[in-house]
Amino acid sequence: LEVVCKVTDRREALRLLRVGEVQVAITSLREAARDLDYRAFATDRVVLIAPPGHPWASLARPLRPADLTEGEFISREEGSGTHAAVREALGPLDLGMKDLPTIMELGNSEAIRMAVAEGIGVGFVSALVAAEAGSGAVEVIEVSGFDPQRILYMARDTSRPATSAQAAFWDFAFSDEMAGVRARISDPMDA
């Protein structure tokens, strides 16, 4: 067996699944389609990160939501899952994406993490991406009353018969023995 992982935006991942170029997609987007089967796989927390030495990194308390308007943000593009999760979590705080001063827009969370580590600004990334940075590369900043999350789904196209290997992979991904892996994805800061 050969496993190939393609990293792309969530709409493209579902397009590739629908045209048969991939057999499984992991996405936070659920598009209505008759033959797509979605199953919740993990919860992806989105966190605010800042470079070490940033004033927000030395606060002894959570950041106030109003303080977000004073940041210099490196953001994901509109339509990304991270962007959507942040936008939805800002609403109850009477803030919108337009209230966050954006100095740069990048197409993936790893690029944002690297730009933040270089001291260019602050940004929102998956907690999994923040944890991958390693100790001291970036600081996770708690924001009072702000906890953006998105559900990650594993999707498959049921109009194409699965091979025995594909069916076994699907079953294994949701098995009890994989529960620990799914939990680490959902809360990598505790791993």
Side-chain angles (χ1 to χ4, degrees):
L1 295 177
E2 180 180 359
V3 176
V4 176
C5 179
K6 292 183 179 188
V7 179
T8 187
D9 69 67
R10 56 198 192 146
R11 281 195 166 72
E12 177 66 5
L14 291 176
R15 186 193 72 75
L16 293 171
L17 182 63
R18 284 191 307 273
V19 299
E21 289 187 36
V22 299
Q23 289 73 45
V24 174
I26 297 178
T27 179
S28 62
L29 179 65
R30 287 181 63 174
E31 288 184 345
R34 184 173 46 133
D35 294 323
L36 292 187
D37 176 24
Y38 295 92
R39 188 159 175 198
F41 183 70
T43 300
D44 183 26
R45 288 182 45 236
V46 177
V47 297
L48 175 62
I49 57 172
H54 188 280
W56 291 351
S58 61
L59 291 175
R61 59 165 173 76
L63 189 68
R64 294 183 310 252
D67 294 336
L68 292 171
T69 62
E70 300 169 13
E72 294 183 326
F73 285 87
I74 304 162
S75 299
R76 285 292 309 265
E77 74 284 1
E78 189 171 342
S80 74
T82 301
H83 188 278
V86 170
R87 184 185 64 241
E88 289 171 19
L90 286 171
L93 303 174
D94 293 325
L95 292 169
M97 295 301 287
K98 66 182 178 352
D99 297 315
L100 306 183
T102 300
I103 59 171
M104 183 183 299
E105 186 176 285
L106 295 174
N108 67 65
S109 294
E110 290 80 8
I112 292 173
R113 183 192 71 214
M114 288 187 286
V116 168
E118 290 297 321
I120 296 171
V122 299
F124 292 103
V125 297
S126 165
L128 192 60
V129 171
E132 290 171 357
S135 179
V138 296
E139 299 289 332
V140 174
I141 310 301
E142 184 181 351
V143 180
S144 182
F146 184 74
D147 187 23
Q149 298 181 13
R150 58 189 178 163
I151 296 173
L152 296 178
Y153 299 93
M154 191 173 287
R156 63 182 171 181
D157 185 343
T158 58
S159 70
R160 291 181 180 78
T163 66
S164 58
Q166 292 165 354
F169 175 78
W170 183 268
D171 292 341
F172 179 68
F174 296 101
S175 69
D176 289 343
E177 60 191 298
M178 287 295 290
V181 171
R182 292 190 307 274
R184 282 193 302 279
I185 291 169
S186 295
D187 201 354
M189 302 306 200
D190 286 344

